[in-house]
Amino acid sequence: MQDLLSYLHLVVLPQMVDALIVGAALALVALGLTMIFGLLDVINLAHGDLYMLGGYAAFTLIGWGAGYWGALVLVPVLVAIVGWGLEELGIRPLLPRSDRAVVTLLLTFGASLMLRDFAQVVWGTDTHAIQAPFSGVISVAQVFVPAYRLFVFGAALAAIFLTWWLIYRTRIGAVLRATAADPVMVASFGIPVRWVYGSAFMYGCGLAGLAGVLLGPIYAVFPTMGHDFLVMAFAVVIVGGMGSIVGAVVAALALAQIQGLASLWIPPVWAETLVYGVMLLVLIVRPAGLFRRFGEA
Amino acid sequence: MALLEVEALHARYDYAPVLQDVSFTVDVGEIVGLFGRNGAGKTTTLRAIMGWLRPASGRIVFAGADISLEAPDRIFRRGIAFIPEDRRIFATLTVEENLLLGLTAHRCTRLEEERRLDRIFRLFPRLRERRRQMGRTLSGGEQQMLAIGRALVGSPRLLLVDEPSEGLAPVVVTEIFDAIVRMREEGIALLLVEQNVRRASAVCKSCYVMEKGRIIKHGTPGEVLADEAIRQRLSV
Ligand SMILES: Nc1ncnc2c1ncn2[C@@H]1O[C@H](COP(=O)(O)OP(=O)(O)OP(=O)(O)O)[C@@H](O)[C@H]1O
Ligand SMILES: [Mg+2]
């Protein structure tokens, strides 16, 4: 009995705390993905690479002397600007087409490859480490957590809350929800829907960039980091419900726990497989995911 | 003075012609009725004016400007609002958020917003009670009131209304028609599509009858309904 308790306390609990932090960061990437899908019906395959770009941009800016905090502020803005370019030049011209789902999928796939190649040309294929802005360990009930990880958790939570507040509690959010449900009707009230799309796309990309800076010091940056994270974020969006804000957050936290805990007992590769197993199960039982698309009743 | 002039409008869905040589005018501050049987092309006419459907040929002129090829957001900002047949209330927005959406393009001050909301709430007191309720929780009649309020709150010069009385109880229909008359008194012009020809002709100054995508009759309600064949077609 004592053994079980100390096993839970010293092995399981720390793993859960770790998974909570990963889950919060994952939610940031998934939130952008699901917002973009909910509004534009676009599956952004380049989203993971915008997260990667965030990591590399942080690495470079810190190298130039902007410092971690400077990078934390600048990177989301820079990545949002890249996202704006992608939306303006690539996606927007395709939106009026009836086959927009397929052509935008191809476009963002192409953008994803280009961004990855770009990163390799500029930063090489090596892994780059980013120094955390502070060190130290905080212990809560004898569970030791690096202070930086706690900070990541807090910052991710703040960004998640800000996003929720924007969408559900502000005038801009009302326009977003209305546009997700009925863009033609929104346009018929004088609102240029293309700007709504553009801003939401930029915001989603900014969140991916933020996740890149936050996780950089934990996992370091490397060219395929976006790809690995995107696949996981897709599982999150599918389980939570394509286009669901609440679903993305709940599913990110849940899937991270499943993966984290499972890897205590089975090899990590299999833990990942388990996550996709859960995704498959949800697809079979509830193909639309656990939560509703935002803007929909 | 003509506020809206539709000239020789042709429109089609894919390749099936729906509107053929449709012409009519709506003057400043008057109610014009557009009647016709199911599938005559009434809704399509309103959609074409609002920019939901690109005309194949012909012109739509509003306040002197050709708007035939303009997008809906531009057309709204010129002063035309559309209340579609199915109302299209935003289900996950509250009553107040729905109304404010109709004001977004105006960028007015908080005070002005409050004044305009108050005007709508005085027209439909039931909306005031339901102010914080989600659009999807409203009854059919309340949804129609909200649809009218949302279109009216931005003070359009011309309102396109598609079958406002459809599916509503007679008391509510009376309330809606009272509101329509009040709008005219405030100087708003209306293009009113109605199956309830009896009630609509009581408020219209002139009306048009459509059949198979063409205007087949035009005149004052009295003139139009004096025609036995027309009365039979419209089953009044
Ligand atoms: N989206 C569409 N695609 C193809 N054909 C359509 C479409 N919408 C309407 N139609 C056709 O266009 C014709 C006119 O339709 P419209 O909706 O304008 O009629 P209406 O006069 O409003 O009829 P109702 O009184 O039933 O509302 C009909 O024959 C209809 O079948
Ligand atoms: Mg109709």
Side-chain angles (χ1 to χ4, degrees):
Chain A
M1 189 61 197
Q2 198 59 42
D3 281 356
L4 180 64
L5 275 182
S6 65
Y7 176 74
L8 285 177
H9 185 183
L10 299 175
V11 181
V12 175
L13 194 58
Q15 189 75 2
M16 286 179 74
V17 170
D18 232 37
L20 193 64
I21 292 158
V22 174
L26 186 61
L28 287 185
V29 176
L31 262 183
L33 209 55
T34 210
M35 253 176 97
I36 290 168
F37 179 80
L39 269 169
L40 289 81
D41 267 327
V42 167
I43 294 177
N44 182 18
L45 288 179
H47 210 70
D49 300 279
L50 291 161
Y51 159 75
M52 168 209 72
L53 207 61
Y56 277 114
F59 171 74
T60 298
L61 284 173
I62 292 170
W64 286 351
Y68 176 86
W69 304 110
L72 188 66
V73 174
L74 285 175
V75 168
V77 176
L78 286 175
V79 175
I81 291 171
V82 174
W84 175 78
L86 177 62
E87 207 273 339
E88 179 80 2
L89 302 174
I91 291 171
R92 184 182 292 178
L94 300 178
L95 288 181
R97 293 172 56 139
S98 56
D99 57 352
R100 68 157 130 172
V102 178
V103 288
T104 54
L105 198 70
L106 291 174
L107 178 101
T108 58
F109 182 59
S112 158
L113 296 179
M114 276 170 62
L115 284 170
R116 209 172 311 169
D117 286 347
F118 172 79
Q120 293 198 12
V121 169
V122 176
W123 290 285
T125 51
D126 293 343
T127 297
H128 298 288
I130 294 178
Q131 190 67 45
F134 48 81
S135 52
V137 173
I138 289 170
S139 91
V140 183
Q142 276 183 301
V143 175
F144 298 94
V145 190
Y148 180 72
R149 291 199 174 210
L150 273 187
F151 165 74
V152 168
F153 182 66
L157 223 55
I160 290 168
F161 182 77
L162 177 74
T163 306
W164 174 86
W165 178 80
L166 270 174
I167 292 178
Y168 289 102
R169 288 289 178 272
T170 67
R171 290 284 286 279
I172 296 171
V175 173
L176 284 177
R177 275 177 286 141
T179 307
D182 195 345
V184 176
M185 207 59 222
V186 170
S188 302
F189 285 107
I191 298 164
V193 167
R194 57 182 188 281
W195 291 111
V196 180
Y197 286 160
S199 333
F201 196 90
M202 276 178 77
Y203 185 84
C205 294
L207 283 181
L210 177 66
V213 195
L214 288 174
L215 291 187
I218 298 179
Y219 298 127
V221 293
F222 47 95
T224 57
M225 66 189 259
H227 174 80
D228 304 345
F229 217 57
L230 182 74
V231 178
M232 190 71 183
F234 264 119
V236 165
V237 170
I238 287 169
V239 170
M242 298 283 282
S244 167
I245 302 297
V246 177
V249 177
V250 171
L253 294 174
L255 289 186
Q257 288 298 336
I258 291 174
Q259 188 182 18
L261 289 177
S263 56
L264 279 178
W265 305 299
I266 57 179
V269 182
W270 285 103
E272 214 169 288
T273 311
L274 185 69
V275 167
Y276 301 128
V278 171
M279 177 185 91
L280 219 63
L281 194 73
V282 170
L283 273 178
I284 292 166
V285 181
R286 258 182 96 103
L290 301 179
F291 293 85
R292 273 193 216 100
R293 189 164 163 156
F294 79 100
E296 264 169 26
Chain B
M1 189 191 86
L3 181 63
L4 178 77
E5 283 177 81
V6 174
E7 295 169 18
L9 184 67
H10 290 251
R12 56 175 86 101
Y13 288 112
D14 300 320
Y15 295 101
V18 177
L19 300 183
Q20 297 184 62
D21 199 25
V22 169
S23 300
F24 61 91
T25 59
V26 179
D27 284 352
V28 173
E30 77 168 9
I31 303 180
V32 171
L34 187 57
F35 306 139
R37 286 201 290 216
N38 291 118
K42 308 178 296 292
T43 297
T44 307
T45 305
L46 299 191
R47 288 166 155 257
I49 297 169
M50 199 61 211
W52 289 18
L53 184 82
R54 187 168 281 243
S57 67
R59 287 197 337 145
I60 302 168
V61 179
F62 180 71
D66 188 336
I67 60 165
S68 2
L69 299 177
E70 285 185 349
D73 57 315
R74 183 91 188 87
I75 292 172
F76 175 88
R77 277 179 271 126
R78 285 189 182 277
I80 303 182
F82 181 25
I83 304 172
E85 217 168 354
D86 43 2
R87 290 148 205 171
R88 306 201 21 188
I89 291 304
F90 299 113
T92 62
L93 270 60
T94 63
V95 166
E96 184 175 300
E97 284 174 328
N98 265 282
L99 290 173
L100 288 174
L101 201 115
L103 269 183
T104 306
H106 287 70
R107 303 167 183 281
C108 39
T109 62
R110 278 260 169 227
L111 203 70
E112 172 69 9
E113 262 173 26
E114 218 25 72
R115 200 186 60 77
R116 282 168 176 262
L117 287 189
D118 194 61
R119 196 168 60 107
I120 301 301
F121 290 149
R122 265 186 284 130
L123 190 62
F124 298 119
R126 257 198 280 176
L127 292 182
R128 195 195 297 274
E129 294 161 30
R130 309 253 183 287
R131 194 169 176 161
R132 309 250 173 256
Q133 224 167 290
M134 287 286 179
R136 65 162 175 270
T137 66
L138 299 184
S139 72
E142 289 161 354
Q143 287 198 14
Q144 187 59 269
M145 294 174 198
L146 180 55
I148 294 174
R150 184 179 62 175
L152 209 55
V153 73
S155 308
R157 297 171 71 188
L158 171 66
L159 205 53
L160 312 173
V161 198
D162 201 353
E163 304 203 19
S165 73
E166 194 189 7
L168 301 183
V171 230
V172 186
V173 174
T174 302
E175 212 173 327
I176 299 289
F177 272 95
D178 286 348
I180 285 173
V181 172
R182 291 265 288 280
M183 293 177 220
R184 182 191 54 197
E185 284 162 4
E186 290 184 24
I188 298 171
L190 275 98
L191 180 56
L192 177 63
V193 168
E194 252 306 338
Q195 296 279 8
N196 194 337
V197 176
R198 280 248 169 266
R199 281 198 109 123
S201 51
V203 299
C204 293
K205 186 157 172 221
S206 73
C207 60
Y208 294 80
V209 180
M210 281 187 99
E211 177 139 319
K212 294 190 180 132
R214 293 175 185 278
I215 302 281
I216 55 164
K217 183 93 184 171
H218 163 225
T220 64
E223 287 163 10
V224 168
L225 293 181
D227 185 330
E228 175 64 35
I230 294 284
R231 274 215 309 278
Q232 234 159 37
R233 277 212 176 86
L234 299 176
S235 32
V236 271

